[in-house]
Amino acid sequence: MKTVFLLASKEVREGSRNRWVVAATGLLAALALTLTFLGSAPTGTVGAHPLDVVVISLASLTIFIVPLIALLISHDAIVGEIERGTMMLLLSYPVRRRQVLLGKFLGHIAILAFATCIGYGLAGAVLAVGGQAADAASWAAFLTMTASSVLLGAVFVAIGYLVSVLVSDRGTAGGIAVAVWLLFVVLYDMALLGLLVADQGRFVNGGVLAALLLFNPADSYRLLNLTGSDGIAAASGMAGTVRDAAPPPAVLLAALAVWVAAPMALAALAFSRREL
Amino acid sequence: MTLTLELNAVTRSYGRIKAVDGISFSAGPGEVIALVGHNGAGKTTLMKLMLGLARPSAGSIAVLGQDPAAGDAAVRRRLGYLPETVSFHPALTGRETLRFYARLKRGRPGEEGALLERLGLTHAADRRIGTYSKGMRQRLGLAQAMIGTPAVLLLDEPTTGLDPELRQQFYVIVREMRAAGATVLLSSHALNELEGHIDRVVILNRGHKIADGSLDALRHIARLPARLRLRTAQGGAQDLRAWMGETARFRHVNGDIVEFDATPGDKAAFLRRLATAGAPFEDIDIVPPGFDELYAHFLGEEASR
């Protein structure tokens, strides 16, 4: 455990030195603050609370940004160190390969968690100082959104490692990382939409659709945050039948957890077999 | 004596290419061994096999009595390794990097400071490694290999990038490690600088071991001629040749220096003649065959087989 902690803290230190932490935190904070100021303007008398609007818009943006950041920091983690020759040296030490993977994972998650909490926390603080009272449910939704954003990041960090362990050079890892991002964030939903239109409700009922959404971590995250509370579900147009058909939050969280564990386990297996 | 390194008919193939083919050798504590060969002769593969980063296709390896591929932590702690191209994260300082590796190996607290001092890096310890010269990085690499006073040191091309002074310092450290009972295995192609610093040479060619022994023993096997260089008084080269009688094997270097190659048998006879009175020379140098010639000899023998 001490070894894993050592590896994780080295990863955090490297990340803060080469400005990954600063860049990610800055990006997330800038987006969150922009959405907070824009998002609190047009609500008027519609009845949606500004905090709910911010949660909806931030969650929608997180789906694009956080997986991208996670893949950027993770795709290079293994293959990059192998190419630079640092992995051979590290593995000549009393270190197991799964400890290397786990240590890097914890370090990268710490970086992502820091960036997300600071970035989104700043937006939350601005709203709280702005004096608009929000109910506990809205704040709970905000906290859920922040925490699940880190979880979404963890999913893509794990997928990034799997890519990094399997390929033989950094360029390929980068290419595949971009493809993974496109697939889960853009193409999957378009394909699903196409399927629904073509199917005309003959085979794909609510249950099948819910299952299909669980196969994409980005969709699980979206459902978790947009159907989480009554106010948000109403404001995001997810109330009613949509919300009834969506899997309950526990199932969505479990799906995200599996999306972390499965790629990590596969990456550990592939890494243990890989020769340097 | 317990052996620290034991390789028994080790073969490692990548596809149809055998990077290492049936190599056996062993080493004990306090031995310094040079692994010598062209690029691609199998030196680095052999190091990887001994580190357990690759597994042999056939044969067996024991490092400190254990199979290195098992990754036993107690064995790894007693093993130091310097990769051929050592690289560290450029944004961390030398001290941070060394402390990280010392903790991984459960080294003594404060060991990194002592090692930085020993390798003359104290002044740069708190600078980013990105600002280090090649020689400084190589020294830092050597420092991490020495953490925990290892029983086995595997050094892949340790002196590339070091200037002559640092090279001498490096061999002083190797001698100290040997005195402390470590087995030092180093690979190199700078052959002549190894002379006097190593106990044994293992010559590799295309994955095969073609020679194994001390430099003296290899010289004895190869029976290469030594070069005798005689200096005479001004313009006396002609007289010397006349006195010697055998003109064919002499080479005039200039008006007063004459050279010839003598096999060990010839050499003794020739020296006896020179010792008689009236031999027209003033000075004599005997140059034993260098490591480069020895290496070329063994490679040539291998090729003609």
Side-chain angles (χ1 to χ4, degrees):
Chain A
M1 205 55 223
K2 195 187 162 199
T3 304
V4 172
F5 176 75
L6 260 174
L7 291 162
S9 57
K10 179 163 186 273
E11 207 61 47
V12 170
R13 184 173 294 172
E14 285 177 6
S16 50
R17 287 287 163 77
N18 60 25
R19 309 205 167 76
W20 260 121
V21 179
V22 176
T25 311
L27 181 65
L28 289 180
L31 289 170
L33 286 173
T34 310
L35 286 177
T36 307
F37 290 126
L38 290 178
S40 46
T43 50
T45 53
V46 174
H49 188 273
L51 189 59
D52 289 343
V53 176
V54 167
V55 169
I56 294 164
S57 40
L58 261 186
S60 309
L61 202 75
T62 300
I63 288 174
F64 288 92
I65 299 297
V66 168
L68 194 61
I69 295 177
L71 285 168
L72 276 178
I73 59 179
S74 65
H75 78 272
D76 182 51
I78 305 296
V79 73
E81 285 224 30
I82 291 175
E83 265 188 21
R84 284 189 295 271
T86 44
M87 189 57 83
M88 249 175 94
L89 182 60
L90 185 61
L91 292 179
S92 78
Y93 276 74
V95 175
R96 300 235 162 236
R97 295 188 182 197
R98 55 171 186 271
Q99 289 177 318
V100 172
L101 214 54
L102 194 60
K104 280 183 174 291
F105 181 74
L106 292 180
H108 283 150
I109 295 311
I111 292 175
L112 268 179
F114 178 84
T116 311
C117 291
I118 296 291
Y120 292 179
L122 226 60
V126 164
L127 278 175
V129 170
Q132 288 149 318
D135 54 5
S138 294
W139 280 112
F142 185 80
L143 289 179
T144 307
M145 192 271 297
T146 308
S148 60
S149 298
V150 178
L151 187 58
L152 182 68
V155 168
F156 282 90
V157 166
I159 295 174
Y161 289 164
L162 182 57
V163 172
S164 198
V165 164
L166 290 174
V167 301
S168 59
D169 66 283
R170 299 168 72 183
T172 315
I176 294 178
V178 170
V180 164
W181 181 80
L182 270 177
L183 173 70
F184 283 125
V185 172
V186 182
L187 298 178
Y188 191 89
D189 289 352
M190 280 167 64
L192 211 53
L193 208 60
L195 178 70
L196 288 179
V197 170
D199 184 63
Q200 297 290 342
R202 271 169 294 181
F203 303 107
V204 184
N205 55 27
V208 174
L209 181 62
L212 284 174
L213 289 175
L214 287 179
F215 274 103
N216 182 350
D219 284 329
S220 299
Y221 170 88
R222 198 193 316 262
L223 284 176
L224 180 69
N225 283 297
L226 298 190
T227 61
S229 82
D230 296 332
I232 288 175
S236 62
M238 297 288 263
T241 46
V242 183
R243 198 174 172 210
D244 296 337
V251 173
L252 294 169
L253 279 175
L256 285 172
V258 169
W259 269 107
V260 174
M264 278 300 278
L266 285 176
L269 184 70
F271 192 29
S272 71
R273 293 196 177 172
R274 180 165 182 164
E275 289 211 349
L276 297 179
Chain B
M1 193 176 71
T2 47
L3 293 172
T4 45
L5 285 177
E6 266 185 286
L7 282 81
N8 196 356
V10 172
T11 298
R12 168 70 222 204
S13 15
Y14 292 98
R16 291 175 59 195
I17 299 157
K18 285 183 176 173
V20 166
D21 191 359
I23 289 185
S24 305
F25 70 87
S26 58
E31 241 188 311
V32 179
I33 300 171
L35 213 51
V36 169
H38 288 310
N39 287 332
K43 292 173 294 182
T44 300
T45 306
L46 215 46
M47 293 249 180
K48 283 184 187 176
L49 288 165
M50 285 185 270
L51 286 166
L53 298 178
R55 289 164 203 266
S57 317
S60 67
I61 306 177
V63 176
L64 295 163
Q66 299 275 336
D67 175 10
D72 188 78
V75 171
R76 291 270 170 93
R77 268 198 278 282
R78 298 173 61 208
L79 188 82
Y81 170 55
L82 174 67
E84 184 176 355
T85 45
V86 65
S87 74
F88 300 107
H89 200 284
L92 302 185
T93 70
R95 193 189 302 280
E96 284 171 334
T97 302
L98 210 52
R99 186 180 298 144
F100 165 72
Y101 285 115
R103 284 190 183 158
L104 269 189
K105 242 181 191 172
R106 313 270 151 87
R108 298 189 313 277
E111 187 172 14
E112 69 271 8
L115 283 171
L116 286 166
E117 170 94 54
R118 187 162 171 196
L119 287 153
L121 285 170
T122 306
H123 66 285
D126 298 308
R127 263 165 47 194
R128 290 173 172 228
I129 294 171
T131 67
Y132 280 25
S133 69
K134 173 97 172 63
M136 288 162 83
R137 250 172 286 175
Q138 192 73 6
R139 273 187 281 166
L140 190 62
L142 195 58
Q144 66 74 30
M146 286 162 63
I147 292 167
T149 333
V152 172
L153 265 173
L154 302 176
L155 310 174
D156 203 350
E157 308 274 349
T159 56
T160 42
L162 295 185
D163 59 42
E165 195 194 337
L166 287 174
R167 220 166 266 205
Q168 289 311 311
Q169 280 180 21
F170 165 76
Y171 285 113
V172 168
I173 288 170
V174 167
R175 249 196 302 282
E176 287 170 8
M177 300 299 277
R178 169 170 59 181
T183 304
V184 183
L185 183 77
L186 55 94
S187 75
S188 181
H189 25 224
L191 304 178
N192 280 328
E193 71 170 60
L194 293 170
E195 183 106 49
H197 299 299
I198 54 169
D199 301 315
R200 229 171 88 203
V201 194
V202 173
I203 302 182
L204 299 181
N205 184 38
R206 292 198 210 117
H208 294 276
K209 181 173 95 169
I210 56 174
D212 181 355
S214 69
L215 275 180
D216 279 341
L218 293 188
R219 281 202 183 99
H220 192 75
I221 297 169
R223 298 185 60 78
L224 289 180
R227 201 166 67 228
L228 269 63
R229 174 179 278 219
L230 296 154
R231 199 157 62 80
T232 69
Q234 194 70 44
Q238 294 297 338
D239 296 343
L240 185 67
R241 285 179 60 166
W243 175 77
M244 287 299 303
E246 294 173 80
T247 50
R249 285 155 61 204
F250 278 102
R251 288 190 299 273
H252 276 274
V253 177
N254 58 32
D256 43 52
I257 293 178
V258 171
E259 268 187 4
F260 84 112
D261 294 331
T263 58
D266 288 351
K267 192 169 64 188
F270 183 73
L271 287 176
R272 270 194 289 278
R273 269 196 76 191
L274 281 182
T276 58
F281 78 103
E282 290 188 335
D283 195 7
I284 180 166
D285 284 321
I286 302 175
V287 187
F291 200 168
D292 280 331
E293 285 112 68
L294 210 54
Y295 177 55
H297 168 82
F298 280 105
L299 280 189
E301 202 173 62
E302 170 83 0
S304 66
R305 204 175 285 163

